[in-house]
Amino acid sequence: GERLGSVLLAALALPGLLPVEVVAENAPEHAVLAYKQLYYQDSQAGLDRITVNAPSVYGLLPMGEHWSVEGSAVVDSVSGASPRYYSTVSGASHMDDLRTAGDAKLSYYRERSAYSVSLSRSQEHDYISNAAALDARFSSADNNTTYNLGVGVARDSINPTNDLVDDETKSTVQGIVGVTRALTAFDLVQLQLAYSSGRGYFSDPYKLFDNRPRERNQGTALLRWNHHVAAADATLRLNYRYYNDSYGIAAHTLGLEWVQPLGRNFSLTPSLRYYTQSSADFYIDPPASAPFPNIPEGAYSSLDQRLSAFGALAVAGKLEWRLSPEWSTDFKAEYYQQHAEWRLTGNGSPGLEPFRYVSFEFGLPRRF
């Protein structure tokens, strides 16, 4: 179980921040080098759509008693066709893309606090994003409570290949605050609040009738509870996330994980996640057959199914194997399915084809 006083922080990652692992306020003692391979495939009505292959590497290097540096790099190879609206294949378009991205993070640790600065860059043939972030964590004298805060900025450049727009930009500022508290020797609770404000080009230049507001504000609240079940030597992880934005979308996510050690060297983690959202105020449900509805010139509109009202279920399993004190490996598989009628709120889009994906991840970390 987790000892009272061993408070760990799992901060929400801001764009521009590396994915933040659960870390104490002490500088890491060991260097880490890890490789991960992701495979993703989505489909509609039995036809394969987008395929993603994404190898990545991650490194962490302690520097003395108070400093560490870490970084990651990933290459995403994307191919296939975009999601379509109905059963006709003509609703989709073929695409190929290659994205490269990298992050770097420098951290300074004191007795009960830690401070980090991060830089990141992501580049596709038609989209470049640069971001930076600062974050800090502070622990109470008894180490039972940790507070965190962070701020991040991002600047994106958009140049679609169809020349619909040229040298468009998007700027975003994000902020996050949170608290993590050890309630008992077996219970850890965390609350995180985040807010993002963006200005610039948010439309999708590759979609017809897509004209979105040049401003988007987004807020999230995340509540996590980890409970160690002593009788099974396992840990139950529950989380709830609320999301709301200026587009009119409100979303709820419920997640459940069960971390079950299997002997000394294995761990199995099955998980279940439910997601539901309402549609954007300007989302238009495309009709089952032409013609499309009359959209006044200059009016906000989008046929993007990601802005529709829908519900989704995801089931996953992760197996971790500790090969030695230095080596370990893990494998994760996830299946996701999305339907308009699975939503809890908002008007659904009955004409939209059900959307589903499978993903597989393989990881191989090494401690030094």
Side-chain angles (χ1 to χ4, degrees):
E2 299 185 59
R3 293 183 299 128
L4 191 65
S6 298
V7 175
L8 304 179
L9 176 64
L12 285 175
L14 291 170
L17 285 173
L18 291 174
V20 179
E21 298 293 334
V22 179
V23 293
E25 306 315 324
N26 300 320
E29 297 180 359
H30 300 278
V32 176
L33 183 62
Y35 171 81
K36 178 160 285 189
Q37 177 70 47
L38 167 68
Y39 173 83
Y40 166 97
Q41 172 73 68
D42 64 38
S43 61
Q44 287 180 295
L47 298 176
D48 293 340
R49 290 299 170 189
I50 296 294
T51 299
V52 179
N53 284 288
S56 63
V57 292
Y58 166 81
L60 168 67
L61 180 64
M63 299 186 300
E65 296 182 359
H66 301 288
W67 294 89
S68 72
V69 62
E70 57 190 302
S72 66
V74 61
V75 177
D76 294 338
S77 174
V78 184
S79 62
S82 58
R84 68 184 190 279
Y85 307 126
Y86 300 98
S87 58
T88 58
V89 177
S90 60
S93 59
H94 186 80
M95 53 90 70
D96 290 282
D97 204 355
L98 184 71
R99 182 183 74 97
T100 58
D103 302 84
K105 182 175 182 178
L106 179 67
S107 298
Y108 173 67
Y109 302 86
R110 302 191 65 180
E111 184 178 358
R112 282 190 292 272
S113 61
Y115 310 87
S116 300
V117 58
S118 308
L119 299 173
S120 71
R121 179 180 173 87
S122 175
Q123 182 168 348
E124 304 168 44
H125 71 283
D126 58 355
Y127 199 103
I128 298 174
S129 179
N130 294 292
L134 299 171
D135 67 273
R137 302 183 298 274
F138 308 91
S139 294
S140 60
D142 60 4
N143 286 331
N144 284 338
T145 306
T146 298
Y147 305 93
N148 72 285
L149 56 92
V151 61
V153 294
R155 173 106 173 153
D156 303 344
S157 176
I158 304 107
N159 286 282
T161 56
N162 60 10
D163 296 323
L164 184 67
V165 296
D166 183 48
D167 289 332
E168 273 286 4
T169 61
K170 179 174 63 178
S171 299
T172 310
V173 177
Q174 307 100 9
I176 184 172
V177 294
V179 58
T180 305
R181 174 73 179 174
L183 299 179
T184 72
F186 303 104
D187 296 279
L188 191 68
V189 175
Q190 181 186 73
L191 174 64
Q192 298 273 15
L193 302 176
Y195 184 79
S196 171
S197 180
R199 303 291 185 273
Y201 187 74
F202 286 89
S203 301
D204 189 328
Y206 300 114
K207 286 184 168 60
L208 293 174
F209 312 111
D210 203 278
N211 181 32
R212 310 183 191 189
R214 295 185 65 89
E215 175 179 338
R216 189 177 191 181
N217 301 318
Q218 302 165 283
T220 60
L222 175 65
L223 181 63
R224 291 184 176 124
W225 172 45
N226 290 359
H227 174 70
H228 181 70
V229 183
D233 191 27
T235 300
L236 173 66
R237 298 173 179 169
L238 299 174
N239 65 81
Y240 166 74
R241 180 179 182 265
Y242 173 75
Y243 168 89
N244 186 276
D245 67 19
S246 56
Y247 283 6
I249 296 176
H252 306 267
T253 306
L254 288 170
L256 179 152
E257 292 183 337
W258 181 269
V259 184
Q260 181 65 62
L262 303 173
R264 289 189 173 186
N265 299 321
F266 290 91
S267 177
L268 181 63
T269 306
S271 62
L272 183 66
R273 184 176 73 254
Y274 172 71
Y275 176 85
T276 179
Q277 73 171 43
S278 59
S279 63
D281 295 335
F282 52 86
Y283 171 75
I284 298 175
D285 189 15
S289 60
F292 281 91
N294 182 32
I295 302 172
E297 185 176 355
Y300 295 137
S301 63
S302 179
L303 308 176
D304 191 339
Q305 54 93 23
R306 293 170 297 182
L307 301 182
S308 67
F310 63 85
L313 278 172
V315 59
K318 182 178 181 180
L319 179 65
E320 298 175 85
W321 180 15
R322 185 166 185 175
L323 303 169
S324 70
E326 295 80 23
W327 288 95
S328 62
T329 186
D330 58 81
F331 177 79
K332 181 179 180 180
E334 180 175 86
Y335 177 77
Y336 169 99
Q337 190 161 161
Q338 172 184 313
H339 291 267
E341 58 267 26
W342 288 358
R343 73 196 183 281
L344 287 182
T345 59
N347 297 318
S349 302
L352 287 176
E353 285 287 339
F355 177 82
R356 59 186 63 86
Y357 73 73
V358 293
S359 68
F360 303 96
E361 293 180 50
F362 168 75
L364 187 66
R366 167 74 155 89
R367 288 203 320 167
F368 297 90

PDB file of all heavy atoms in Angstrom, residues 263-290:
ATOM      1  N   GLY A 263       2.186 -11.604  -8.590  1.00  0.00           N
ATOM      2  CA  GLY A 263       3.501 -11.977  -8.135  1.00  0.00           C
ATOM      3  C   GLY A 263       4.392 -10.749  -8.019  1.00  0.00           C
ATOM      4  O   GLY A 263       3.926  -9.616  -7.937  1.00  0.00           O
ATOM      5  N   ARG A 264       5.708 -10.966  -8.039  1.00  0.00           N
ATOM      6  CA  ARG A 264       6.646  -9.868  -7.869  1.00  0.00           C
ATOM      7  C   ARG A 264       6.939  -9.105  -9.152  1.00  0.00           C
ATOM      8  O   ARG A 264       7.301  -7.933  -9.105  1.00  0.00           O
ATOM      9  CB  ARG A 264       7.968 -10.399  -7.298  1.00  0.00           C
ATOM     10  CG  ARG A 264       7.897 -10.848  -5.855  1.00  0.00           C
ATOM     11  CD  ARG A 264       9.290 -11.134  -5.333  1.00  0.00           C
ATOM     12  NE  ARG A 264       9.283 -11.416  -3.911  1.00  0.00           N
ATOM     13  CZ  ARG A 264      10.389 -11.586  -3.189  1.00  0.00           C
ATOM     14  NH1 ARG A 264      11.568 -11.496  -3.782  1.00  0.00           N
ATOM     15  NH2 ARG A 264      10.308 -11.836  -1.899  1.00  0.00           N
ATOM     16  N   ASN A 265       6.768  -9.755 -10.294  1.00  0.00           N
ATOM     17  CA  ASN A 265       7.281  -9.180 -11.528  1.00  0.00           C
ATOM     18  C   ASN A 265       6.224  -8.770 -12.537  1.00  0.00           C
ATOM     19  O   ASN A 265       6.556  -8.155 -13.550  1.00  0.00           O
ATOM     20  CB  ASN A 265       8.238 -10.167 -12.208  1.00  0.00           C
ATOM     21  CG  ASN A 265       9.438 -10.493 -11.340  1.00  0.00           C
ATOM     22  OD1 ASN A 265       9.980  -9.615 -10.666  1.00  0.00           O
ATOM     23  ND2 ASN A 265       9.839 -11.759 -11.332  1.00  0.00           N
ATOM     24  N   PHE A 266       4.956  -9.080 -12.274  1.00  0.00           N
ATOM     25  CA  PHE A 266       3.909  -8.762 -13.239  1.00  0.00           C
ATOM     26  C   PHE A 266       2.839  -7.887 -12.603  1.00  0.00           C
ATOM     27  O   PHE A 266       2.595  -7.940 -11.394  1.00  0.00           O
ATOM     28  CB  PHE A 266       3.255 -10.043 -13.784  1.00  0.00           C
ATOM     29  CG  PHE A 266       4.144 -10.845 -14.679  1.00  0.00           C
ATOM     30  CD1 PHE A 266       4.949 -11.850 -14.129  1.00  0.00           C
ATOM     31  CD2 PHE A 266       4.190 -10.609 -16.041  1.00  0.00           C
ATOM     32  CE1 PHE A 266       5.780 -12.600 -14.941  1.00  0.00           C
ATOM     33  CE2 PHE A 266       5.017 -11.361 -16.863  1.00  0.00           C
ATOM     34  CZ  PHE A 266       5.810 -12.354 -16.313  1.00  0.00           C
ATOM     35  N   SER A 267       2.173  -7.089 -13.455  1.00  0.00           N
ATOM     36  CA  SER A 267       1.048  -6.272 -13.025  1.00  0.00           C
ATOM     37  C   SER A 267       0.067  -6.177 -14.176  1.00  0.00           C
ATOM     38  O   SER A 267       0.461  -5.945 -15.326  1.00  0.00           O
ATOM     39  CB  SER A 267       1.510  -4.875 -12.611  1.00  0.00           C
ATOM     40  OG  SER A 267       0.396  -4.060 -12.270  1.00  0.00           O
ATOM     41  N   LEU A 268      -1.218  -6.375 -13.894  1.00  0.00           N
ATOM     42  CA  LEU A 268      -2.268  -6.310 -14.911  1.00  0.00           C
ATOM     43  C   LEU A 268      -3.234  -5.184 -14.546  1.00  0.00           C
ATOM     44  O   LEU A 268      -3.707  -5.104 -13.412  1.00  0.00           O
ATOM     45  CB  LEU A 268      -3.013  -7.640 -14.988  1.00  0.00           C
ATOM     46  CG  LEU A 268      -4.133  -7.733 -16.029  1.00  0.00           C
ATOM     47  CD1 LEU A 268      -3.568  -7.575 -17.440  1.00  0.00           C
ATOM     48  CD2 LEU A 268      -4.893  -9.044 -15.892  1.00  0.00           C
ATOM     49  N   THR A 269      -3.537  -4.303 -15.539  1.00  0.00           N
ATOM     50  CA  THR A 269      -4.412  -3.162 -15.286  1.00  0.00           C
ATOM     51  C   THR A 269      -5.528  -3.116 -16.320  1.00  0.00           C
ATOM     52  O   THR A 269      -5.347  -2.562 -17.414  1.00  0.00           O
ATOM     53  CB  THR A 269      -3.626  -1.842 -15.322  1.00  0.00           C
ATOM     54  OG1 THR A 269      -2.530  -1.902 -14.421  1.00  0.00           O
ATOM     55  CG2 THR A 269      -4.518  -0.658 -14.947  1.00  0.00           C
ATOM     56  N   PRO A 270      -6.703  -3.699 -16.029  1.00  0.00           N
ATOM     57  CA  PRO A 270      -7.861  -3.485 -16.905  1.00  0.00           C
ATOM     58  C   PRO A 270      -8.490  -2.128 -16.604  1.00  0.00           C
ATOM     59  O   PRO A 270      -8.409  -1.625 -15.479  1.00  0.00           O
ATOM     60  CB  PRO A 270      -8.799  -4.632 -16.517  1.00  0.00           C
ATOM     61  CG  PRO A 270      -8.446  -4.947 -15.094  1.00  0.00           C
ATOM     62  CD  PRO A 270      -6.976  -4.641 -14.943  1.00  0.00           C
ATOM     63  N   SER A 271      -9.112  -1.516 -17.614  1.00  0.00           N
ATOM     64  CA  SER A 271      -9.720  -0.205 -17.416  1.00  0.00           C
ATOM     65  C   SER A 271     -10.959  -0.050 -18.288  1.00  0.00           C
ATOM     66  O   SER A 271     -11.103  -0.715 -19.324  1.00  0.00           O
ATOM     67  CB  SER A 271      -8.723   0.915 -17.726  1.00  0.00           C
ATOM     68  OG  SER A 271      -8.303   0.878 -19.074  1.00  0.00           O
ATOM     69  N   LEU A 272     -11.833   0.854 -17.857  1.00  0.00           N
ATOM     70  CA  LEU A 272     -13.073   1.149 -18.569  1.00  0.00           C
ATOM     71  C   LEU A 272     -13.290   2.652 -18.533  1.00  0.00           C
ATOM     72  O   LEU A 272     -13.097   3.290 -17.484  1.00  0.00           O
ATOM     73  CB  LEU A 272     -14.254   0.413 -17.918  1.00  0.00           C
ATOM     74  CG  LEU A 272     -15.622   0.559 -18.576  1.00  0.00           C
ATOM     75  CD1 LEU A 272     -15.622  -0.102 -19.947  1.00  0.00           C
ATOM     76  CD2 LEU A 272     -16.704  -0.056 -17.687  1.00  0.00           C
ATOM     77  N   ARG A 273     -13.696   3.241 -19.673  1.00  0.00           N
ATOM     78  CA  ARG A 273     -13.902   4.683 -19.739  1.00  0.00           C
ATOM     79  C   ARG A 273     -15.180   4.987 -20.516  1.00  0.00           C
ATOM     80  O   ARG A 273     -15.424   4.397 -21.574  1.00  0.00           O
ATOM     81  CB  ARG A 273     -12.710   5.359 -20.422  1.00  0.00           C
ATOM     82  CG  ARG A 273     -12.787   6.888 -20.442  1.00  0.00           C
ATOM     83  CD  ARG A 273     -11.545   7.503 -21.050  1.00  0.00           C
ATOM     84  NE  ARG A 273     -11.468   7.347 -22.508  1.00  0.00           N
ATOM     85  CZ  ARG A 273     -10.672   6.522 -23.143  1.00  0.00           C
ATOM     86  NH1 ARG A 273      -9.858   5.710 -22.465  1.00  0.00           N
ATOM     87  NH2 ARG A 273     -10.666   6.449 -24.473  1.00  0.00           N
ATOM     88  N   TYR A 274     -15.990   5.905 -19.983  1.00  0.00           N
ATOM     89  CA  TYR A 274     -17.190   6.366 -20.688  1.00  0.00           C
ATOM     90  C   TYR A 274     -17.072   7.863 -20.917  1.00  0.00           C
ATOM     91  O   TYR A 274     -16.669   8.615 -20.030  1.00  0.00           O
ATOM     92  CB  TYR A 274     -18.457   6.074 -19.880  1.00  0.00           C
ATOM     93  CG  TYR A 274     -19.694   6.711 -20.484  1.00  0.00           C
ATOM     94  CD1 TYR A 274     -20.236   6.223 -21.677  1.00  0.00           C
ATOM     95  CD2 TYR A 274     -20.302   7.808 -19.882  1.00  0.00           C
ATOM     96  CE1 TYR A 274     -21.353   6.807 -22.247  1.00  0.00           C
ATOM     97  CE2 TYR A 274     -21.424   8.393 -20.453  1.00  0.00           C
ATOM     98  CZ  TYR A 274     -21.951   7.898 -21.629  1.00  0.00           C
ATOM     99  OH  TYR A 274     -23.050   8.495 -22.200  1.00  0.00           O
ATOM    100  N   TYR A 275     -17.443   8.289 -22.137  1.00  0.00           N
ATOM    101  CA  TYR A 275     -17.354   9.697 -22.505  1.00  0.00           C
ATOM    102  C   TYR A 275     -18.653  10.130 -23.163  1.00  0.00           C
ATOM    103  O   TYR A 275     -19.237   9.379 -23.960  1.00  0.00           O
ATOM    104  CB  TYR A 275     -16.192   9.914 -23.473  1.00  0.00           C
ATOM    105  CG  TYR A 275     -16.073  11.335 -23.995  1.00  0.00           C
ATOM    106  CD1 TYR A 275     -15.393  12.304 -23.269  1.00  0.00           C
ATOM    107  CD2 TYR A 275     -16.651  11.706 -25.212  1.00  0.00           C
ATOM    108  CE1 TYR A 275     -15.280  13.612 -23.746  1.00  0.00           C
ATOM    109  CE2 TYR A 275     -16.545  13.002 -25.692  1.00  0.00           C
ATOM    110  CZ  TYR A 275     -15.860  13.951 -24.949  1.00  0.00           C
ATOM    111  OH  TYR A 275     -15.755  15.237 -25.413  1.00  0.00           O
ATOM    112  N   THR A 276     -19.120  11.341 -22.839  1.00  0.00           N
ATOM    113  CA  THR A 276     -20.302  11.885 -23.494  1.00  0.00           C
ATOM    114  C   THR A 276     -20.126  13.382 -23.662  1.00  0.00           C
ATOM    115  O   THR A 276     -19.522  14.046 -22.803  1.00  0.00           O
ATOM    116  CB  THR A 276     -21.577  11.582 -22.692  1.00  0.00           C
ATOM    117  OG1 THR A 276     -22.711  12.150 -23.359  1.00  0.00           O
ATOM    118  CG2 THR A 276     -21.502  12.150 -21.289  1.00  0.00           C
ATOM    119  N   GLN A 277     -20.628  13.919 -24.780  1.00  0.00           N
ATOM    120  CA  GLN A 277     -20.555  15.361 -24.987  1.00  0.00           C
ATOM    121  C   GLN A 277     -21.785  15.853 -25.738  1.00  0.00           C
ATOM    122  O   GLN A 277     -22.425  15.110 -26.468  1.00  0.00           O
ATOM    123  CB  GLN A 277     -19.302  15.746 -25.785  1.00  0.00           C
ATOM    124  CG  GLN A 277     -19.334  15.405 -27.263  1.00  0.00           C
ATOM    125  CD  GLN A 277     -18.162  16.000 -28.037  1.00  0.00           C
ATOM    126  OE1 GLN A 277     -17.022  15.973 -27.590  1.00  0.00           O
ATOM    127  NE2 GLN A 277     -18.451  16.548 -29.214  1.00  0.00           N
ATOM    128  N   SER A 278     -22.110  17.139 -25.519  1.00  0.00           N
ATOM    129  CA  SER A 278     -23.124  17.809 -26.316  1.00  0.00           C
ATOM    130  C   SER A 278     -22.449  18.404 -27.542  1.00  0.00           C
ATOM    131  O   SER A 278     -21.224  18.462 -27.630  1.00  0.00           O
ATOM    132  CB  SER A 278     -23.805  18.905 -25.487  1.00  0.00           C
ATOM    133  OG  SER A 278     -22.845  19.858 -25.051  1.00  0.00           O
ATOM    134  N   SER A 279     -23.232  18.866 -28.503  1.00  0.00           N
ATOM    135  CA  SER A 279     -22.664  19.383 -29.736  1.00  0.00           C
ATOM    136  C   SER A 279     -22.311  20.865 -29.604  1.00  0.00           C
ATOM    137  O   SER A 279     -22.811  21.576 -28.719  1.00  0.00           O
ATOM    138  CB  SER A 279     -23.650  19.194 -30.890  1.00  0.00           C
ATOM    139  OG  SER A 279     -24.835  19.937 -30.640  1.00  0.00           O
ATOM    140  N   ALA A 280     -21.446  21.336 -30.514  1.00  0.00           N
ATOM    141  CA  ALA A 280     -21.136  22.761 -30.588  1.00  0.00           C
ATOM    142  C   ALA A 280     -22.373  23.524 -31.053  1.00  0.00           C
ATOM    143  O   ALA A 280     -23.231  22.992 -31.773  1.00  0.00           O
ATOM    144  CB  ALA A 280     -19.982  22.990 -31.547  1.00  0.00           C
ATOM    145  N   ASP A 281     -22.466  24.791 -30.647  1.00  0.00           N
ATOM    146  CA  ASP A 281     -23.631  25.605 -30.996  1.00  0.00           C
ATOM    147  C   ASP A 281     -23.810  25.726 -32.504  1.00  0.00           C
ATOM    148  O   ASP A 281     -24.937  25.843 -32.992  1.00  0.00           O
ATOM    149  CB  ASP A 281     -23.487  27.006 -30.392  1.00  0.00           C
ATOM    150  CG  ASP A 281     -23.506  26.993 -28.867  1.00  0.00           C
ATOM    151  OD1 ASP A 281     -24.089  26.050 -28.294  1.00  0.00           O
ATOM    152  OD2 ASP A 281     -22.933  27.919 -28.262  1.00  0.00           O
ATOM    153  N   PHE A 282     -22.713  25.714 -33.249  1.00  0.00           N
ATOM    154  CA  PHE A 282     -22.780  25.922 -34.690  1.00  0.00           C
ATOM    155  C   PHE A 282     -22.632  24.622 -35.479  1.00  0.00           C
ATOM    156  O   PHE A 282     -22.472  24.651 -36.702  1.00  0.00           O
ATOM    157  CB  PHE A 282     -21.700  26.919 -35.132  1.00  0.00           C
ATOM    158  CG  PHE A 282     -20.323  26.571 -34.644  1.00  0.00           C
ATOM    159  CD1 PHE A 282     -19.508  25.699 -35.349  1.00  0.00           C
ATOM    160  CD2 PHE A 282     -19.846  27.096 -33.448  1.00  0.00           C
ATOM    161  CE1 PHE A 282     -18.246  25.363 -34.897  1.00  0.00           C
ATOM    162  CE2 PHE A 282     -18.575  26.772 -32.983  1.00  0.00           C
ATOM    163  CZ  PHE A 282     -17.783  25.905 -33.708  1.00  0.00           C
ATOM    164  N   TYR A 283     -22.657  23.479 -34.794  1.00  0.00           N
ATOM    165  CA  TYR A 283     -22.570  22.199 -35.497  1.00  0.00           C
ATOM    166  C   TYR A 283     -23.845  21.964 -36.294  1.00  0.00           C
ATOM    167  O   TYR A 283     -24.962  22.193 -35.814  1.00  0.00           O
ATOM    168  CB  TYR A 283     -22.360  21.049 -34.516  1.00  0.00           C
ATOM    169  CG  TYR A 283     -22.477  19.687 -35.163  1.00  0.00           C
ATOM    170  CD1 TYR A 283     -21.455  19.186 -35.963  1.00  0.00           C
ATOM    171  CD2 TYR A 283     -23.630  18.919 -35.001  1.00  0.00           C
ATOM    172  CE1 TYR A 283     -21.565  17.957 -36.580  1.00  0.00           C
ATOM    173  CE2 TYR A 283     -23.748  17.680 -35.618  1.00  0.00           C
ATOM    174  CZ  TYR A 283     -22.716  17.208 -36.394  1.00  0.00           C
ATOM    175  OH  TYR A 283     -22.834  15.987 -37.012  1.00  0.00           O
ATOM    176  N   ILE A 284     -23.688  21.483 -37.527  1.00  0.00           N
ATOM    177  CA  ILE A 284     -24.813  21.175 -38.397  1.00  0.00           C
ATOM    178  C   ILE A 284     -24.822  19.687 -38.676  1.00  0.00           C
ATOM    179  O   ILE A 284     -23.837  19.139 -39.191  1.00  0.00           O
ATOM    180  CB  ILE A 284     -24.726  21.966 -39.718  1.00  0.00           C
ATOM    181  CG1 ILE A 284     -24.796  23.462 -39.438  1.00  0.00           C
ATOM    182  CG2 ILE A 284     -25.841  21.546 -40.671  1.00  0.00           C
ATOM    183  CD1 ILE A 284     -24.585  24.321 -40.670  1.00  0.00           C
ATOM    184  N   ASP A 285     -25.918  19.049 -38.347  1.00  0.00           N
ATOM    185  CA  ASP A 285     -26.053  17.626 -38.619  1.00  0.00           C
ATOM    186  C   ASP A 285     -26.318  17.442 -40.108  1.00  0.00           C
ATOM    187  O   ASP A 285     -27.365  17.856 -40.608  1.00  0.00           O
ATOM    188  CB  ASP A 285     -27.206  17.067 -37.788  1.00  0.00           C
ATOM    189  CG  ASP A 285     -27.278  15.554 -37.837  1.00  0.00           C
ATOM    190  OD1 ASP A 285     -26.294  14.933 -38.267  1.00  0.00           O
ATOM    191  OD2 ASP A 285     -28.319  15.005 -37.434  1.00  0.00           O
ATOM    192  N   PRO A 286     -25.377  16.875 -40.864  1.00  0.00           N
ATOM    193  CA  PRO A 286     -25.579  16.773 -42.315  1.00  0.00           C
ATOM    194  C   PRO A 286     -26.752  15.854 -42.637  1.00  0.00           C
ATOM    195  O   PRO A 286     -26.953  14.826 -41.982  1.00  0.00           O
ATOM    196  CB  PRO A 286     -24.251  16.190 -42.821  1.00  0.00           C
ATOM    197  CG  PRO A 286     -23.647  15.525 -41.632  1.00  0.00           C
ATOM    198  CD  PRO A 286     -24.093  16.306 -40.438  1.00  0.00           C
ATOM    199  N   PRO A 287     -27.542  16.207 -43.632  1.00  0.00           N
ATOM    200  CA  PRO A 287     -28.695  15.367 -43.984  1.00  0.00           C
ATOM    201  C   PRO A 287     -28.239  14.053 -44.594  1.00  0.00           C
ATOM    202  O   PRO A 287     -27.118  13.924 -45.073  1.00  0.00           O
ATOM    203  CB  PRO A 287     -29.447  16.225 -45.007  1.00  0.00           C
ATOM    204  CG  PRO A 287     -28.380  17.074 -45.623  1.00  0.00           C
ATOM    205  CD  PRO A 287     -27.398  17.366 -44.524  1.00  0.00           C
ATOM    206  N   ALA A 288     -29.138  13.090 -44.581  1.00  0.00           N
ATOM    207  CA  ALA A 288     -28.803  11.767 -45.112  1.00  0.00           C
ATOM    208  C   ALA A 288     -28.576  11.793 -46.613  1.00  0.00           C
ATOM    209  O   ALA A 288     -27.932  10.908 -47.165  1.00  0.00           O
ATOM    210  CB  ALA A 288     -29.902  10.777 -44.756  1.00  0.00           C
ATOM    211  N   SER A 289     -29.080  12.800 -47.279  1.00  0.00           N
ATOM    212  CA  SER A 289     -28.856  12.938 -48.717  1.00  0.00           C
ATOM    213  C   SER A 289     -28.823  14.417 -49.070  1.00  0.00           C
ATOM    214  O   SER A 289     -29.329  15.257 -48.335  1.00  0.00           O
ATOM    215  CB  SER A 289     -29.965  12.230 -49.509  1.00  0.00           C
ATOM    216  OG  SER A 289     -31.222  12.791 -49.207  1.00  0.00           O
ATOM    217  N   ALA A 290     -28.183  14.740 -50.177  1.00  0.00           N
ATOM    218  CA  ALA A 290     -28.095  16.134 -50.625  1.00  0.00           C
ATOM    219  C   ALA A 290     -29.498  16.663 -50.936  1.00  0.00           C
ATOM    220  O   ALA A 290     -30.422  15.903 -51.186  1.00  0.00           O
ATOM    221  CB  ALA A 290     -27.192  16.217 -51.846  1.00  0.00           C
TER     222      ALA A 290
END
